Amino acid sequence: MKKAINKIKDYFSSNFEVLAAAIIFIGIIASGKEFYKAIILMLEFIVIMEVVKMVSDFIKRETLRLRYIIDIFIIFLIREVIILSTNKTRDYFDITFLLIVIFVFFIFRILAIKFSPGIIKVSQDTVIEYDDGRPNKKVVTTKESNQDE
C-alpha cells in the first residue's frame, strides 16, 4: 500500500497540471449534474487539463506547441457536438458542420505532428539537432570512421 501511495505521490509531483485540473474538475462535479452533463463536464476536464498542460509547457520551454492548441480545439468541438446532439431540438446542420470542422482539425493535427521541427535531419552525414533539450549527436558514416583509423 505504501508503495502505491509513493507512486501516486511521485506521479503528481512531476505532473502537477493533472492535480490542478483534477481539483478544478472535482469542484465542478461537486455541484451534482445529470449523466449527459457529467460527460460534458468530463470533456471540460480534459480541456482544462490540456490548457494547464499547454501553459505548463509554455512556462518550462517558453514556446507553444501547435499540437496542444489543436488538441484543445478538437476536444472543445467534440464537447459542443455532444451538447448539440443531446438537445431535444437538434439542428443537424450545426452538428454536421462541427463534425467537418473536427475532421479538418484532425488533418491539421496530423500535419503538425508530421512536420514538427522537433528533429532536424538533413542527410545521413550531418548533425542531428533536437529541439526538446536532448543533446545533439553527429551521425558518422562508415567512410568517415575508416578515415579516422
Side-chain angles (χ1 to χ4, degrees):
M1 182 72 167
K2 201 175 225 184
K3 187 176 179 181
I5 292 173
N6 285 335
K7 280 186 174 183
I8 293 170
K9 184 179 175 184
D10 290 340
Y11 178 78
F12 283 125
S13 67
S14 63
N15 297 316
F16 67 91
E17 60 267 3
V18 175
L19 182 63
I23 291 170
I24 293 168
F25 180 69
I26 289 171
I28 293 171
I29 289 292
S31 63
K33 302 290 180 184
E34 296 177 18
F35 179 72
Y36 76 95
K37 288 184 181 179
I39 291 184
I40 293 169
L41 290 175
M42 283 189 272
L43 290 170
E44 285 180 6
F45 169 71
I46 295 171
V47 169
I48 291 169
M49 193 168 65
E50 289 293 326
V51 169
V52 171
K53 185 189 298 185
M54 181 183 65
V55 170
S56 170
D57 191 55
F58 176 72
I59 291 170
K60 290 177 187 173
R61 296 194 174 116
E62 297 179 358
T63 59
L64 281 176
R65 293 187 185 235
L66 183 62
R67 183 177 59 93
Y68 290 150
I69 297 169
I70 292 174
D71 287 348
I72 291 169
F73 280 116
I74 289 172
I75 295 167
F76 186 76
L77 289 172
I78 290 172
R79 176 190 164 276
E80 289 298 319
V81 167
I82 290 174
I83 290 171
L84 287 175
S85 63
T86 56
N87 284 341
K88 292 180 182 177
T89 57
R90 295 180 181 107
D91 188 8
Y92 292 108
F93 177 76
D94 289 343
I95 294 172
T96 307
F97 177 74
L98 285 176
L99 290 174
I100 291 170
V101 172
I102 291 170
F103 177 72
V104 169
F105 273 113
F106 269 115
I107 291 173
F108 285 158
R109 186 179 193 283
I110 290 169
L111 292 174
I113 292 172
K114 182 165 178 64
F115 297 108
S116 175
I119 299 173
I120 303 168
K121 183 176 180 180
V122 178
S123 68
Q124 196 173 20
D125 59 344
T126 60
V127 176
I128 299 175
E129 297 177 7
Y130 297 103
D131 192 33
D132 59 358
R134 292 180 283 176
N136 297 335
K137 67 178 185 178
K138 181 175 169 85
V139 176
V140 179
T141 61
T142 55
K143 191 186 301 183
E144 289 177 2
S145 64
N146 290 337
Q147 291 174 354
D148 292 339
E149 295 175 356

